[in-house]
Amino acid sequence: MIRYVLLSLCTLLLCLSNAYAVNVDAMKALPIQHDGRVKPFDSFARHVLRVLSGKDELAERSAVDQVVRIMFQTEDAIEQRIVLLDHPQLRAMFELPKRSDKLYSYREISHALSAQSTVLPEILLKQQQQLPMGPVEHALVDIYEKYSLFTDILGSMSVLLPYHIKDDEILEILEISSSETLITYERLKEALAKQKKSLMRSISVEDMAGENVSSLQRQLIALAFSLQQVEQDKHSRIIRVLPEPWLGEKEENLRQWYAPWGVLEEGKGSPATKALMQQWTSLILAYQQGEQSRFDTILAEITSEVRPYIASDVAVRFELELMYNRWHLGRVTLLLALLSSIALLIYGLSGRVIFLRGAAALFYLNFVILTVMISLRMYILLRPPVSTLYESVLFVAWCVMFMAILLIRKGQLSLALVMGSVLTGLLLLVARGYEKQGETMQTLIAVLDTNFWLATHVVTITIGYACSLVVSLLAHYYLIERAIGKSGYELNNSFKLIRNNVNIAVLFTVIGTILGGVWADQSWGRFWGWDPKENGAMLLAMWLILVMHGYHAKCYQAFGYVAMCAATSIIVMISWFGVNLLNVGLHSYGFTDGIALNMLLFVIAELIFTIAVMIKIKRQTPVKH
Amino acid sequence: MKQTVAQRKHKTQWILLLIILFVGIFGYLDFRSQHSVISYDEPREGNAKRLAIKQPMPNVILPLYDGNEVALESLTGKPILLHFWASWCVPCIKELPELFAMNKAVGDKVHLVMISNDSNAAAMETFLKKHKFWEAARQAGIVLALDAKRSISKKVFQTYKLPETILVNSKGDMVDKIIGADKKWSSAIEIEKILGL
C-alpha cells in the first residue's frame, strides 16, 4: 500500500514521456550475484518471473524487461498483472475477480494481503515452526512470499532513482543547481536536512490542518515524506550488482556483491562503488527518458566496470550460462520428444518405415541435446546433475534414453523408441513443471552440498528410479502385447527384458538406499531415521525385491509378475514425489505443492489400465516363460 | 541390397558421431560469436587466487585542523591509514588508544591520517586535549584533518558510518577498509600487516 503512495508521489516528479521505449535485452549479460553465485541478470530475471507468474515471458516481454520495470519503478509496475494466484478458495477470500490467466497485479495482491493482516503473522509463524498447515494457509504463505519478492525488487534501486524537480523555486530553496540532473535520495536528503529546521519552525500542526500552508511548503513536505517512504527499502538486498571493493585478506571466491542499499547500510562504499552507483542512476535516467543509445552506452560501461571482479573460471561459466539460457534447451528437448512420439505414432498407425527412421533420428538428436544440457549444468554449477528435483528428473530422462540406446543395439527399435520418446517426453514434461517454479540452478543447502555423496548416493538412487520406470514401461508394453494376442518369441523376449531390468533396478535402488544411510549417518548422526524420503526409497527397494523373489518362489505367474512390474511406476511416484508432499523430516527440502491431484489421477489411470488388460486376457491361455 | 546388422550398427554410429560433431561445432561457433572468453589478469605474488584489481587512493586536498592543507598524494611512498572519526562517536573514542599505540610502535614508517567529522576544529582539539592525545598526536606527526562538511569522508570515500579506517599501501592503492572499532591495531600481527602494505 505504501508503494502506491510512493509511486504516486514519484509520478509527480518523474519524467515518463518515453518510458518503455528502451530495449533492455543487453541487460541479460549483466553480472549479478544472487543466491551466492555470480550469474547473468537473465538467469535472475527468469527466476523472478517464474516465481511470480510461473512463466519465462509475460505479455510478450522478456523476463529481463519485466524485472527492470519493477526495479526502475515504472508507472505500470504495480498495475501489471504478473502475480499468479492459482487457488480458487484464496482468490475468493481475497475477493479478487476470477481470471482465465489467474494473474493479478501487485496492487491487488497488496490490498488483499492488508485485509489479512491479522491472520497472516500467525500463519507465517506456523510455517516457521513447521507446524501442519492447510492448503489455504500454504497458498496464503506462497502469495505472501511472491508479494515480498516483488516488494524487495521494487525497493532495490530506490536509493538510486533520480528525482526530477522542475520547480525552480524548490530547487532554489534546496540549494540545488538546475543543471544537476542526477538528484538521488542521498542528495535530496542532504538538501532537505538543511531545510528541515526552518520548515518545521514555519509550519504548525494547525497550519497543516487548515489552509495556511503554501503550495511550495506542501511540495517540500511531500518530498520529505517520499524520502521517508524510500527509507523503508533500506533492507532490500536482492539486486546485488555492486562487487565488493574491499576484499582484505579474504579469498577471491568469498568476494561479496552488494545491493545499492547494502553498500550504504553496511558501510561498504568506496570511490569505485560511488562511481558505479552514479552510472546506475544515469542508466535509470536514460531508461526513463527513452534514450536507447545512451542506455546501451552506460550499460556497456557498467558491465565492463564489474567484469574484472569475476575470476576467469567463473567468467567462462558465466558465458556458458548465458548460452544455456539463450538456447532454451529444456523446451527443445521436450519438443523433440514430442515430435519423436508423434512420428512413432504415425508409424504405428501407417506402418511406413520412414516415420520410424524419423522418430529414431529425432530420438538420437534429443539424446545429444539432453547430454549437452546436463553437461552444461554440471559445469556451470560444478556439481553432479541430481541436486534438485528438476535435475533428478532430467537425469532420469537421460538414463531412460541411454537404456533405450542399449535396447536399440539389441534390435528392439520400436520398443526403445517408445521408451526414449514417450517415457522421456513425459519425464521432460514433469521437469518443465518444476522449471516453472523458479530457479533451477539454485545453491544447495549445506547437507546437499557435498559432491562425493551427491555423486554416489543420489546418482545411484536416481539410476534406480530410471531403471524402475523402464521396468514399468516394459511391463506395460508386455501387457499390451498380451492384450492384442501376441505370443511366442516376441512375448518371451519382452519378458526376458523385464526380468533383466528388474535385477538392475534392485541393484541400484538397494545400493543407493544403503549409501543414503551412510551419508545420513555422516551428516545427521544416524543411519536411519524413518524419514519420509528414506521410507520412500526403502519402499521401492522392497517392492522390487518382492517382485523378484515372489516370481522365483512361484507366488504368482507371469501375468501377476508383470502386473506388479507395471505397478512399479506408482511406487516410484510415491517414493520420488509423493514423500515431498509431506514436507516433514530432514529431507523436506524438496517440498512441492499441488501435485497430489496429479498423482491420484496417475494411480487411477494405472489401475484402470491394469484392470482393463486383465479383463481382456482373462480368457486367453495362460502363458509361461 | 539388404544391410547386415554390423553395417547397420556402423551406419548408426557414424550418424551419431555426425550429430555430435554438428552440435559441437554449432555450439562452439555460437559461443564464440556471442561472447568472447574474457581472460583476466591472474594473480600477483602472495595470493594465487587474487584478481589484480586496483583502487588508487583519490588525490584529495585534505584541510587540516589548523587551516593548512595537505595533498594525499604527497603522503604516498609509505603505508597510510586513513582513519575517519569524530569526537561524538563513542566507538571512535574506544579505538583511539589502540591507534596511538600502533602509531608509536611503527614510528615514521607509516602515515596515520586522522580525518575528523567534527563540525569545527575547536571541538576536535578540546576532545583530544581532554583525553590527553593532543600533544602525542602533534609530536608523533599524525596528520590531523578536519572534514566538517563531510564532503571528503562521505562524497569521496563513501564513509557513512564511523569509525572507518582505509588501509593504503605504499604505492597509493587502497587495499582494505575496516569498519568499526574492534581492531587490535597495536597487536604484533596487525603492526606486521600494516608495515607490509
Side-chain angles (χ1 to χ4, degrees), chain A residues 149-372:
Chain A
L149 175 64
F150 195 110
T151 308
D152 207 354
I153 296 171
L154 194 64
S156 58
M157 293 299 205
S158 56
V159 70
L160 299 178
L161 290 176
Y163 285 82
H164 300 264
I165 302 172
K166 301 285 182 193
D167 194 315
D168 288 335
E169 232 182 313
I170 292 184
L171 287 172
E172 202 184 318
I173 291 173
L174 295 175
E175 295 171 20
I176 295 174
S177 158
S178 55
S179 58
E180 261 189 76
T181 50
L182 301 180
I183 305 167
T184 58
Y185 162 80
E186 282 289 318
R187 180 74 180 93
L188 204 53
K189 188 178 172 187
E190 188 187 17
L192 274 171
K194 289 180 190 169
Q195 299 305 319
K196 189 179 171 186
K197 281 183 188 165
S198 59
L199 199 62
M200 295 301 289
R201 269 200 296 269
S202 66
I203 302 172
S204 68
V205 172
E206 291 77 21
D207 287 339
M208 282 297 293
E211 299 291 322
N212 296 332
V213 180
S214 69
S215 155
L216 196 65
Q217 285 172 324
R218 282 190 194 280
Q219 284 189 67
L220 286 171
I221 291 165
L223 267 176
F225 180 64
S226 77
L227 285 188
Q228 265 194 331
Q229 300 306 309
V230 166
E231 273 169 14
Q232 295 195 21
D233 298 329
K234 64 182 177 185
H235 301 293
S236 174
R237 296 289 187 273
I238 195 163
I239 309 284
R240 293 175 179 264
V241 289
L242 305 168
E244 177 179 21
W246 312 108
L247 199 56
E249 288 165 351
K250 282 193 296 191
E251 295 292 341
E252 189 58 55
N253 59 346
L254 294 177
R255 187 188 292 271
Q256 283 289 330
W257 289 49
Y258 287 89
W261 276 110
V263 165
L264 299 182
E265 291 292 302
E266 293 171 49
K268 294 294 180 180
S270 76
T273 58
K274 181 190 171 182
L276 211 45
M277 283 162 76
Q278 277 176 342
Q279 281 177 306
W280 268 99
T281 301
S282 301
L283 185 77
I284 297 168
L285 190 62
Y287 178 83
Q288 289 171 344
Q289 292 174 341
E291 294 182 16
Q292 182 73 58
S293 157
R294 194 156 62 95
F295 181 88
D296 290 339
T297 306
I298 298 171
L299 183 64
E301 282 169 9
I302 291 173
T303 309
S304 67
E305 283 286 324
V306 301
R307 285 285 184 129
Y309 290 92
I310 308 173
S312 54
D313 59 330
V314 175
V316 172
R317 293 201 293 276
F318 182 95
E319 301 295 340
L320 285 174
E321 192 170 347
L322 271 173
M323 196 169 71
Y324 179 93
N325 290 342
R326 203 168 51 243
W327 285 359
H328 300 291
L329 293 175
R331 288 187 212 172
V332 170
T333 51
L334 183 59
L335 181 66
L336 286 172
L338 180 67
L339 290 173
S340 181
S341 305
I342 292 170
L344 200 60
L345 180 67
I346 297 173
Y347 164 71
L349 294 170
S350 67
R352 293 185 65 182
V353 175
I354 190 160
F355 287 105
L356 182 67
R357 286 189 188 142
L362 287 166
F363 161 74
Y364 277 119
L365 182 62
N366 203 10
F367 179 71
V368 168
I369 290 173
L370 190 58
T371 308
V372 165

Side-chain angles (χ1 to χ4, degrees), chain A residues 456-457 460-465 468 502-518 527-528 537-546 548-549:
Chain A
T456 52
H457 158 64
T460 315
I461 202 95
T462 311
I463 293 173
Y465 288 150
S468 306
V502 165
N503 296 340
I504 298 168
V506 166
L507 184 72
F508 279 102
T509 48
V510 168
I511 292 175
T513 305
I514 292 169
L515 286 174
V518 176
F527 180 86
W528 196 265
M538 192 182 72
L539 174 70
L540 181 61
M542 290 184 68
W543 173 262
L544 289 166
I545 292 168
L546 173 74
M548 187 170 75
H549 285 276

Side-chain angles (χ1 to χ4, degrees), chain B residues 45-193:
Chain B
E45 62 280 352
N47 186 336
K49 292 185 184 177
R50 284 305 171 94
L51 294 176
I53 299 166
K54 290 186 180 173
Q55 278 201 96
M57 179 177 65
N59 180 29
V60 294
I61 310 295
L62 275 182
L64 301 179
Y65 77 96
D66 55 5
N68 290 326
E69 291 173 341
V70 67
L72 275 180
E73 203 179 47
S74 65
L75 301 175
T76 51
K78 291 181 194 177
I80 304 169
L81 262 71
L82 296 173
H83 181 70
F84 299 88
W85 72 288
S87 62
W88 42 258
C89 155
V90 174
C92 306
I93 299 163
K94 188 185 130 192
E95 198 183 14
L96 280 179
E98 280 287 323
L99 274 170
F100 275 81
M102 180 275 300
N103 190 66
K104 194 175 175 187
V106 299
D108 59 358
K109 293 180 190 149
V110 171
H111 284 301
L112 175 58
V113 179
M114 294 184 58
I115 304 170
S116 169
N117 283 206
D118 283 300
S119 51
N120 54 67
M124 186 185 86
E125 188 177 330
T126 308
F127 173 82
L128 287 174
K129 279 180 177 168
K130 180 182 168 186
H131 292 278
K132 300 181 176 35
F133 289 126
W134 181 246
E135 286 306 319
R138 290 171 67 198
Q139 285 169 12
I142 293 171
V143 177
L144 294 173
L146 179 67
D147 183 22
K149 290 183 181 174
R150 303 201 73 198
S151 52
I152 294 170
S153 308
K154 213 165 152 185
K155 290 183 180 167
V156 177
F157 289 99
Q158 297 288 288
T159 293
Y160 285 89
K161 296 174 185 289
L162 297 176
E164 277 185 9
T165 309
I166 295 176
L167 305 181
V168 183
N169 66 17
S170 50
K171 292 175 190 167
D173 297 321
M174 299 187 291
V175 296
D176 201 2
K177 183 199 248 192
I178 315 298
I179 302 163
D182 296 329
K183 209 74 163 164
K184 298 280 178 225
W185 293 109
S186 60
S187 68
I189 296 171
E190 291 305 325
I191 288 172
E192 197 184 326
K193 277 185 204 163

